[in-house]
Amino acid sequence: GENVEQHPSTLSVQEGDSAVIKCTYSDSASNYFPWYKQELGKGPQLIIDIRSNVGEKKDQRIAVTLNKTAKHFSLHITETQPEDSAVYFCAASTGSGTYKYIFGTGTRLKVLA
Amino acid sequence: GAVVSQHPSWVICKSGTSVKIECRSLDFQATTMFWYRQFPKQSLMLMATSNEGSKATYEQGVEKDKFLINHASLTLSTLTVTSAHPEDSSFYICSAPMGGGNEQFFGPGTRLTVL
């Protein structure tokens, strides 16, 4: 079945450095790729998303890139801050038109002050 | 952005009892809502799709008789965990898409602990 692989599972960076999280999806019909930030004990919060007709999208310190041919998409966070510390999940739409997502396994990001 | 609420935020119950969790879209209507379960340090696993006015669609391996879903209105879906057991202890999260796009908005989650 369809799946989404996410790497790394944990990531520690110094404050001010950049962080990159990568995901690979398997469903060729996937056309929507959101990224969520989840803090302990809370629900996921959408931080950025990208659609299959776009290769890159940026929102202040956060950017997402998509390579449809390779079925890869990545999250880039620049100038990291301690408050960026959280678990980040990528997701891919199933392509069935029902808004269903398949989530990656998550990346625990720690930003060291 | 759109707001999705859940109630209660946490619940502790005895084994064998049933627990109802509510998911509400506060400022938009949702004909479809999704229920996820998340175990500690794991990803979100889709349990079922809640459909307003029709039966829910369950993912493979999810017992429909144990996890009862009712989409009572365009702003409310409920998940009832029947005859709860300790292994049902988990973080339950709902989500709802808004508009014609793919974007989903997630609720804050409900922590269920079964003793």
Side-chain angles (χ1 to χ4, degrees):
Chain A
E2 296 90 356
N3 73 305
V4 175
E5 295 184 359
Q6 183 172 345
H7 299 281
S9 56
T10 60
L11 178 60
S12 293
V13 299
Q14 288 294 134
E15 182 178 0
D17 287 351
S18 296
V20 180
I21 303 171
K22 299 181 178 181
C23 288
T24 303
Y25 62 99
S26 62
D27 186 354
S28 299
S30 295
N31 59 6
Y32 177 70
F33 308 91
W35 284 90
Y36 287 88
K37 175 183 181 182
Q38 187 178 30
E39 297 178 340
L40 189 63
K42 297 184 179 180
Q45 294 292 313
L46 178 70
I47 57 171
I48 197 167
D49 57 10
I50 192 167
R51 299 187 187 279
S52 58
N53 58 348
V54 175
E56 184 174 0
K57 183 177 179 180
K58 189 174 182 180
D59 182 4
Q60 299 183 343
R61 297 187 297 110
I62 296 173
V64 57
T65 59
L66 171 65
N67 183 329
K68 281 183 59 179
T69 302
K71 295 182 185 173
H72 290 168
F73 58 114
S74 300
L75 176 71
H76 304 253
I77 305 174
T78 58
E79 301 174 22
T80 54
Q81 302 166 1
E83 50 266 36
D84 294 329
S85 297
V87 179
Y88 291 81
F89 290 98
C90 63
S93 64
T94 61
S96 61
T98 60
Y99 304 105
K100 289 174 63 174
Y101 296 168
I102 298 174
F103 278 85
T105 48
T107 296
R108 186 171 301 276
L109 173 65
K110 292 184 181 179
V111 180
L112 307 173
Chain B
V3 178
V4 175
S5 70
Q6 282 184 241
H7 178 79
S9 56
W10 60 270
V11 57
I12 301 173
C13 69
K14 293 182 178 180
S15 186
T17 61
S18 295
V19 174
K20 180 184 287 188
I21 302 170
E22 294 184 348
C23 176
R24 294 182 185 272
S25 55
L26 297 186
D27 50 0
F28 66 100
Q29 295 181 332
T31 56
T32 301
M33 292 183 176
F34 297 95
W35 286 97
Y36 295 83
R37 181 166 52 182
Q38 185 179 35
F39 291 108
K41 296 186 178 182
Q42 293 190 21
S43 188
L44 286 77
M45 298 301 297
L46 180 64
M47 299 175 64
T49 303
S50 174
N51 304 299
E52 191 270 335
S54 64
K55 293 182 179 180
T57 305
Y58 291 81
E59 296 299 304
Q60 190 173 8
V62 178
E63 300 175 57
K64 61 180 65 176
D65 294 331
K66 180 167 186 61
F67 299 100
L68 300 180
I69 291 173
N70 181 26
H71 202 130
S73 73
L74 288 172
T75 59
L76 173 64
S77 174
T78 59
L79 169 69
T80 301
V81 183
T82 62
S83 187
H85 289 94
E87 55 266 31
D88 298 324
S89 298
S90 187
F91 195 51
Y92 291 87
I93 309 171
C94 70
S95 72
M98 184 181 75
N102 299 85
E103 186 174 352
Q104 287 189 38
F105 295 90
F106 283 80
T110 297
R111 172 79 55 196
L112 170 63
T113 302
V114 184
L115 301 177

